[in-house]
Amino acid sequence: MPKNKKPAGGRAQNFEPRYGKKTSYQDAKRRPGQASAGTAGSKSPKHRGFRAAEDSAPAKGRWTEQDRAGRAEARGIRSHARGDRAAGGERPRFDRAGGAERPRFDRAGGERPRFDRAGGERPRFDRARGNDRGDFDRRGPRGADSRRDGQDVRGYGRPERDDRARFDRTERPRFDRADRGNDRGDSDRRAPRDAGNGRDAREFRGTGRTERPRFDRADRTARSFDDRPRRDDRPRRDERANRSDWNAAEKSKAHQEHVDVVHERLQAEAVDAASVEQASFADLGLGQNIVRTLEGLGATSPFPIQAATVRPILEGRDVLARGRTGSGKTIAFGAPLVERVLRGQAGKRRAWGRSPQALILAPTRELALQIDRTVQELAQSVGLFTTQVYGGVPQGRQVGALKKGVDIVIGTPGRIEDLEKQGKLDLSEVGIVVLDEADHMSELGFLEPMQRILRLVQDDAQKLLFSATLDREVAALVDEFLVDPAVYEVAGETQETSTIDHRVLVIDHRDKAEILTSLVDRDGKTLVFTRTRAYSEMLVEQFEDAGIAAVALHGDLNQAKRTRNLQRLTDGKVNVLVATDVAARGIHVDDIDLVVQADAPDEYKTYTHRSGRTGRAGRAGTVVTLITRQRRRRMTEMLERAEIDAPFDEARIGDDVLEEITGRQAANVDA
DNA sequence: AAAAAAC
């Protein structure tokens, strides 16, 4: 029954682990997820990330280590493609003149590429001449030695970065919450000027790898669609066979073993907030209308991930980007995508029945809807049209919109394939594809539909892969569909620069129901995650019985209920949403300040994404995970992989710690 | 093992 509202307990407690000791990787000065003997996830010979001694045996060639990593991480695809290239000696050429068929993206433009042709020729990156690893995969050998030689443990391997991101948790300053929002470039639209003092202003240059294309303004060159290599110049599909077999086998093995697969971290250009904060959206190359619309959306100056990706996307590059949850990824791909479609459509907009030029794919319908809300505004401002294509609703409206002609399709894989097969959605002119939550879209069940869809768009369509947990799990897609992708992440995105407090409550199972009720009995918006649909329904009932209005969100509900229930939380008509992992990724509700994990997640990525429903765009939030005693070890290991340091508290019904969690949040909301 | 994604 309604209780709590106790004002904040001592703040300091929130940052002082009172349970357990520091996690092992802190002591070891090593990042979780690093492949090594001591790494969680690679200790067991049964684990996919496990590297036995013989693993580092005979060097076979310069890309052998990568090859090996690829086999473990990408189920062999990547190595295949590499092998072909290496054997061929030279990277496939894409000779524009010789091309029998021009990409259809430029169909209306006569002989000239229409899509961003101002910049002239695209620079050629000859992989065979030394950049044999590409941007996607240039991490050094993963042998035990590479960790100990003083290099950045994260694998940047660039000595000049030592002044900045050491990722050495024990040495990093801790920030009080009061300071937050002032020291983060992305926490505040006011873009603090003092951010990152003492760091090098480092733009998008590939330090230490001279062969990487640079993105200084001066020597930046634009690339048209025509300049892009055609996919049939790449290794043929039959030569890359049995990918699916690999996937299925590896995945099912992982499932059988209940292994939380830790993929190798993607190597990325770390974009320093301080180095990009000067640029405005207009500076980055976006047009007036879009810039104005962004302002209307509350985006007056670019967040770091946006500052990083807008330019390369406008240049036509394939881009992989990792930015923490709530860091503004939708705009990071949405704005340049609209700009680019606009440029490619000059003079031929609004033709009846025109086929879409861009496709944005999301793993859930709610996320597709949400992306559309942002992208549609941007598109409208320049006279472009978007439509959603997702399942669970009658297809009539979607088909009707497509008949009239749309420029940008946003949707989920199933319905998109369905309409395409019915001949009601023509993907052949799609020149830009975005995969939001790309790592998730590369998982079993999603990967093959994604591959089928990507084969339907233009061979040389630009691909943009975004996720807060982007890792090498996307390798299967990258190898087949991306060309020389640029990889970005935002520097310094660590727990210390986050606005999320993490707590773990160790409870008795018999207390669980009552503790859950007391946690959601509060003023702010609370999102509760369960492992199963049934349990989420059960909890809703339980909360309602306790007089707390709550709604559920899971895949057993029809789409109308799903949409309505989420809306009710957004509108504030209820304060409690109980959801399965359908709501784990991407969903943005402005002011969720407490996430309760009624069931602990099994995977660290799930932890990251669920947690990311709070603490968005620099706002404060708390994540509480309930576990029983016997799960402590597993929880500790998962937190290590998620790179989260959270205090464990024993809790019983009515304990102060519960009041502290709920009461403090209520106080924050008032503030 | 569960969840998501088409009808």
Side-chain angles (χ1 to χ4, degrees):
Chain A
M1 305 305 164
K3 37 185 181 213
N4 84 29
K5 307 262 161 57
K6 190 175 171 186
R11 274 199 30 45
Q13 294 177 76
N14 302 327
F15 297 92
E16 288 307 338
R18 275 166 296 166
Y19 185 94
K21 48 181 168 40
K22 277 182 181 166
T23 47
S24 62
Y25 62 88
Q26 286 179 304
D27 298 326
K29 307 211 170 180
R30 161 178 68 75
R31 296 269 290 193
Q34 295 275 309
S36 76
T39 303
S42 63
K43 289 168 188 161
S44 153
K46 287 191 293 185
H47 193 280
R48 292 181 53 199
F50 175 74
R51 302 207 168 254
E54 74 265 20
D55 226 348
S56 50
K60 286 184 258 169
R62 67 185 303 177
W63 46 266
T64 310
E65 291 289 349
Q66 307 299 328
D67 181 17
R68 206 173 294 129
R71 203 178 316 135
E73 302 289 344
R75 303 79 128 188
I77 304 23
R78 165 156 210 89
S79 52
H80 227 281
R82 282 252 178 64
D84 290 337
R85 264 175 209 146
E90 275 202 342
R91 186 168 193 275
R93 294 265 169 207
F94 24 97
D95 182 352
R96 195 197 289 192
E101 33 177 58
R102 294 188 308 109
R104 282 149 297 186
F105 204 76
D106 304 315
R107 74 206 183 287
E111 287 307 295
R112 314 269 296 277
R114 285 226 160 238
F115 222 83
D116 191 13
R117 69 179 185 233
E121 281 287 320
R122 171 185 183 235
R124 281 171 200 254
F125 311 125
D126 190 341
R127 253 178 232 193
R129 206 185 49 227
N131 191 8
D132 56 344
R133 292 180 295 177
D135 298 313
F136 179 62
D137 182 11
R138 45 186 135 76
R139 188 194 180 99
R142 304 203 324 170
D145 291 340
S146 71
R147 236 180 343 102
R148 276 187 256 110
D149 59 14
Q151 288 200 336
D152 186 320
V153 290
R154 207 176 201 177
Y156 294 109
R158 288 175 233 154
E160 56 270 55
R161 286 193 182 280
D162 282 353
D163 59 329
R164 185 170 48 71
R166 298 277 319 196
F167 302 102
D168 185 343
R169 205 168 281 195
T170 53
E171 289 173 17
R172 255 176 303 167
R174 301 185 79 95
F175 299 109
D176 280 333
R177 171 150 295 168
D179 295 328
R180 290 178 180 166
N182 290 329
D183 53 15
R184 295 176 62 222
D186 61 347
S187 66
D188 191 324
R189 286 296 185 190
R190 279 170 288 138
R193 294 297 162 206
D194 59 341
N197 274 345
R199 296 166 173 173
D200 279 351
R202 190 175 289 112
E203 293 214 27
F204 311 119
R205 38 188 104 208
T207 45
R209 287 161 297 104
T210 51
E211 64 276 11
R212 190 178 191 280
R214 293 161 48 130
F215 289 99
D216 303 282
R217 227 166 280 200
D219 54 84
R220 190 180 53 176
T221 48
R223 160 172 90 160
S224 82
F225 276 176
D226 272 0
D227 294 324
R228 296 170 57 81
R230 298 204 167 74
R231 217 172 61 223
D232 31 275
D233 287 339
R234 309 178 206 172
R236 289 208 317 276
R237 259 177 223 136
D238 52 346
E239 293 166 2
R240 296 178 302 223
N242 64 32
R243 173 191 329 103
S244 336
D245 302 342
W246 264 98
N247 285 342
E250 291 289 302
K251 272 290 181 182
S252 83
K253 198 173 74 185
H255 286 181
Q256 281 159 22
E257 294 170 8
H258 296 271
V259 165
D260 182 4
V261 177
V262 178
H263 293 271
E264 187 177 345
R265 217 182 167 90
L266 274 175
Q267 184 59 41
E269 286 297 299
V271 178
D272 202 321
S275 72
V276 294
E277 69 182 10
Q278 314 293 343
S280 70
F281 279 117
D283 295 337
L284 295 173
L286 297 172
Q288 251 187 36
N289 288 340
I290 292 175
V291 171
R292 208 176 302 128
T293 309
L294 285 171
E295 277 170 23
L297 292 168
T300 49
S301 65
F303 282 177
I305 188 70
Q306 297 159 357
T309 60
V310 168
R311 256 197 293 249
I313 292 174
L314 288 177
E315 287 161 3
R317 292 204 65 177
D318 288 346
V319 169
L320 309 188
R322 177 175 49 237
R324 68 155 43 121
T325 55
S327 67
K329 289 189 287 295
T330 304
I331 287 173
F333 63 72
L337 174 136
V338 170
E339 175 75 34
R340 204 154 152 71
V341 172
L342 176 69
R343 290 183 195 173
Q345 297 227 323
K348 58 184 176 61
R349 261 171 281 165
R350 301 202 183 192
W352 186 266
R354 65 195 179 282
S355 295
Q357 311 288 301
L359 179 63
I360 302 175
L361 291 153
T364 64
R365 301 163 186 170
E366 285 75 15
L367 185 51
L369 268 163
Q370 178 184 297
I371 293 167
D372 183 51
R373 281 195 286 273
T374 298
V375 175
Q376 185 173 36
E377 276 209 49
L378 295 165
Q380 264 172 7
S381 73
V382 295
L384 297 174
F385 286 77
T386 71
T387 198
Q388 313 132 359
V389 176
Y390 60 86
V393 295
Q395 66 174 41
R397 245 186 62 172
Q398 298 171 1
V399 173
L402 291 169
K403 260 186 195 145
K404 283 193 253 176
V406 299
D407 307 288
I408 300 165
V409 167
I410 297 147
T412 48
R415 180 62 67 86
I416 285 172
E417 276 201 286
D418 189 10
L419 292 192
E420 200 278 336
K421 272 183 204 148
Q422 294 180 40
K424 289 165 177 165
L425 169 59
D426 174 23
L427 295 176
S428 67
E429 293 185 19
V430 168
I432 306 183
V433 186
V434 178
L435 270 61
D436 201 7
E437 308 296 344
D439 57 321
H440 189 42
M441 300 292 252
S442 303
E443 287 173 12
L444 186 68
F446 270 128
L447 177 63
E448 303 213 359
M450 294 315 307
Q451 290 170 328
R452 287 194 298 265
I453 290 170
L454 288 172
R455 286 165 191 153
L456 294 170
V457 303
Q458 292 213 344
D459 272 357
D460 58 355
Q462 181 180 8
K463 316 292 189 315
L464 311 174
L465 272 53
F466 279 68
S467 177
T469 51
L470 198 70
D471 59 14
R472 287 187 50 99
E473 190 160 22
V474 297
L477 292 176
V478 169
D479 287 335
E480 180 175 358
F481 297 105
L482 276 71
V483 180
D484 190 25
V487 190
Y488 296 103
E489 69 177 7
V490 177
E493 286 191 339
T494 62
Q495 184 176 1
E496 279 73 18
T497 60
S498 164
T499 52
I500 304 174
D501 270 351
H502 298 267
R503 314 284 302 256
V504 177
L505 295 186
V506 183
I507 62 167
D508 276 352
H509 188 262
R510 63 173 182 275
D511 292 347
K512 185 169 176 178
E514 199 167 330
I515 286 177
L516 279 168
T517 301
S518 68
L519 282 172
V520 302
D521 182 16
R522 53 191 294 277
D523 279 342
K525 288 181 185 173
T526 308
L527 177 51
V528 181
F529 280 105
T530 65
R531 195 173 57 88
T532 67
R533 304 162 175 192
Y535 188 37
S536 79
E537 283 296 333
M538 212 179 97
L539 281 183
V540 166
E541 233 174 86
Q542 177 192 313
F543 296 154
E544 294 275 355
D545 287 349
I548 302 162
V551 289
L553 179 59
H554 56 75
D556 267 351
L557 300 174
N558 64 39
Q559 191 53 41
K561 277 185 188 154
R562 280 170 62 164
T563 308
R564 189 182 66 208
N565 287 354
L566 180 58
Q567 190 63 43
R568 290 183 72 191
L569 181 73
T570 309
D571 293 345
K573 289 185 178 131
V574 298
N575 270 344
V576 179
L577 179 70
V578 187
T580 60
D581 283 331
V582 69
R585 285 182 178 247
I587 300 303
H588 177 94
V589 174
D590 250 349
D591 38 13
I592 294 171
D593 52 20
L594 178 62
V595 167
V596 177
Q597 309 203 64
D599 297 313
D602 286 324
E603 296 181 30
Y604 78 95
K605 284 190 189 182
T606 308
Y607 185 95
T608 301
H609 287 280
R610 284 175 168 189
S611 304
R613 297 318 98 206
T614 189
R616 297 184 72 81
R619 303 179 77 147
T622 301
V623 178
V624 183
T625 307
L626 301 188
I627 60 166
T628 50
R629 291 185 157 279
Q630 53 268 37
R631 201 176 167 114
R632 280 182 345 206
R633 180 69 205 149
R634 254 172 91 188
M635 187 67 194
T636 304
E637 287 171 357
M638 193 190 56
L639 287 172
E640 285 179 18
R641 289 176 211 147
E643 298 168 12
I644 295 298
D645 192 9
F648 284 48
D649 290 298
E650 308 251 6
R652 299 193 155 273
I653 296 167
D655 272 358
D656 282 352
V657 64
L658 303 177
E659 303 292 321
E660 179 203 326
I661 288 166
T662 55
R664 175 169 55 78
Q665 286 307 308
N668 278 357
V669 169
D670 296 338

